[in-house]
Amino acid sequence: MNTLPGQALPRWRRAVLKVGSNLLAADGGGLTPRHAEALAAFIAASHAEGREVVLVSSGAVAAGRALLRQHASDGGGLAARQALAALGQAPMIALWQSLSARPVAQVLLTHDDLRNRRRYLNARATLRELLQLGVLPVINENDTVSVDELKLGDNDNLAAIVAALVDADLLLIASDVDALYSADPRRDPAAVPIAQVAALTPEIVAMAGDSGSAAGTGGMRTKLQAAAKAAAAGIPTALFSGREAATVQALQHGQLRGTLIAAGSTRLQARKYWLRHAPAAPGRIRIDAGAAKALAGGRVSLLPGGVLGADGEFHRGDLVEIVDADGAAVARGLSQYGAAEVRRLAGRHSREIDGTLGYSYGDEVVHRDDLVSMNRPVASGQEIST
Ligand SMILES: Nc1ncnc2c1ncn2[C@@H]1O[C@H](COP(=O)(O)OP(=O)(O)O)[C@@H](O)[C@H]1O
Ligand SMILES: N[C@@H](CCC(=O)OP(=O)(O)O)C(=O)O
């Protein structure tokens, strides 16, 4: 039973919710809606309030294993696990669809997809589009092609990477344990729950053990790794029990009965800091006076109409300098198009992109979420991007 007092959940508009296998296969066999129901109700209520939730759901291996058990034993090696995941993806998605009035979209990702700049941007564009369409994205690792060196390894880490990918302002991790404890509570009856973690020090990390069950993968260790990744991107993490319907309902009212792991800085600060200081590609985008003025004011995207040209070489997704007609630095950002493409798009209207290139990655040359103005301080508590 949860003995932690409630605490305020950080304000959020877009969250990633990670649901572990232990919750979905709570009876030790195949998937059950027992705990998923309350989580689906939370997602629906959040959506009705104008918030966006991206779901990262485990459970495919557990679902596959339950199906196969009726026919044969699964062996236990990597290929067997991959086969079980392939078998279980559809039932896992079906479970969420059965609990959601909105359409559910399946998204399978690997580490390789997220390391590759082009695929990273494509995954992000797809997820943004799904959210705009009002669809519930359900993400899982693409276990079929995830061999060891490509594997994210667990969905806790995948959820943290997705949180940064979709610019979430909160990472919610629902598990079968109600908090981070001072030691694994399955092994140490004297372990006490921890309500707040200000920083993931080595002492805190040492408290985390691995999974206590066959269904789960990483235990608390991967949850803290995920929280560290999220914190580095300026995203706080909330750990709570998805077994307690009252705990899940309390989230709806902004109350967390679990562990809150703070982010070092705000999401916007972390992102803007990175955009400002990371090494840029050997190339730059030149813009006209009107675009320079708009970008200096902040919170706007760079459209092709304001572009004069591009110098040097850079690729889609590269961080580039944006300069005015005199070569003075105005901003930095991730270009949606490569240098050759930007040269062709210079001065054109966004609606001409498709006709000019034969394809389009979006209306913006640099999206406002990927842009930092060089003459504006990165203030704390700035508005969260939409
Ligand atoms: N310090 C700790 N505090 C809480 N839980 C811990 C700790 N160390 C290990 N664990 C284990 O982590 C488990 C949750 O992780 P896991 O089994 O991977 O679940 P999930 O399927 O939700 O990802 C808990 O049931 C618990 O036994
Ligand atoms: N891709 C696997 C999930 C692996 C995983 O991370 O599981 P868990 O520790 O329960 O979140 C599956 O769907 O079974």
Side-chain angles (χ1 to χ4, degrees), residues 18 20-22 175-177 179-181 183-186 207-213 216-220 223:
K18 189 263 170 174
S21 312
N22 282 336
S175 185
D176 63 343
V177 63
L180 165 70
Y181 280 73
D184 185 348
R186 287 189 205 239
M207 294 174 181
D210 51 21
S211 176
S213 77
T217 302
M220 197 45 69
K223 289 174 186 36

Side-chain angles (χ1 to χ4, degrees), residues 63-75 84 87:
R65 184 172 287 130
L67 278 176
L68 203 64
R69 208 171 270 152
Q70 297 154 11
H71 303 284
S73 130
D74 60 74
L84 293 178
L87 199 57

Side-chain angles (χ1 to χ4, degrees), residues 24-51:
L24 297 179
D27 301 325
L31 303 185
T32 150
R34 189 137 69 95
H35 305 305
E37 228 153 24
L39 292 161
F42 163 71
I43 296 170
S46 301
H47 186 249
E49 285 176 354
R51 301 174 202 258

Side-chain angles (χ1 to χ4, degrees), residues 199-226:
L200 287 163
T201 58
E203 292 73 34
I204 298 276
V205 171
M207 294 174 181
D210 51 21
S211 176
S213 77
T217 302
M220 197 45 69
R221 205 167 286 145
T222 52
K223 289 174 186 36
L224 293 193
Q225 285 170 1

